[in-house]
Amino acid sequence: MNSLLMVLLWIVSILIIGSVLLQPSKNNDAMSSLSGGADDLFSDSKPRGFEAFMQKVTAILGIVLFGIALILMWLSAH
């Protein structure tokens, strides 16, 4: 059981890295890097299409990764 969960943990962690790398960049100019992107803080634009999909995939993979890690921790304690 531990081996299967460890393999799943590795697979999910690689998928999370890939999903983060596939997300489009939000900084379009050099000024936003200097200001820290504060002008985007109150913008009303919602992500659409591929960007929204990748955000959902990343969130779901993060929850799965956290859940598997908690299960592995519980199994190692008992």
Side-chain angles (χ1 to χ4, degrees), residues 3 6 8 10 14-16 22 25-26 28 36 44 47 50 54-55 57-58 61 64 67 71 74 77:
S3 300
M6 282 300 291
L8 284 175
W10 277 98
I14 291 170
L15 288 174
I16 239 176
L22 284 174
S25 175
K26 295 185 182 188
N28 294 332
D44 290 336
F50 182 71
M54 288 310 295
Q55 284 181 355
V57 166
T58 306
L61 286 173
V64 170
I71 292 170
W74 184 81

Side-chain angles (χ1 to χ4, degrees), residues 13-73:
S13 64
I14 291 170
L15 288 174
I16 239 176
I17 291 169
S19 68
V20 168
L21 289 175
L22 284 174
Q23 287 184 4
S25 175
K26 295 185 182 188
N27 292 339
N28 294 332
D29 56 356
M31 193 59 184
S32 65
S33 66
L34 295 175
S35 67
D39 54 343
D40 293 334
L41 182 61
F42 299 108
S43 65
D44 290 336
S45 64
K46 292 185 179 180
R48 299 179 191 269
F50 182 71
E51 184 179 355
F53 174 73
M54 288 310 295
Q55 284 181 355
K56 289 177 186 175
V57 166
T58 306
I60 291 170
L61 286 173
I63 292 168
V64 170
L65 182 86
F66 189 70
I68 292 173
L70 284 177
I71 292 170
L72 277 170
M73 188 178 67

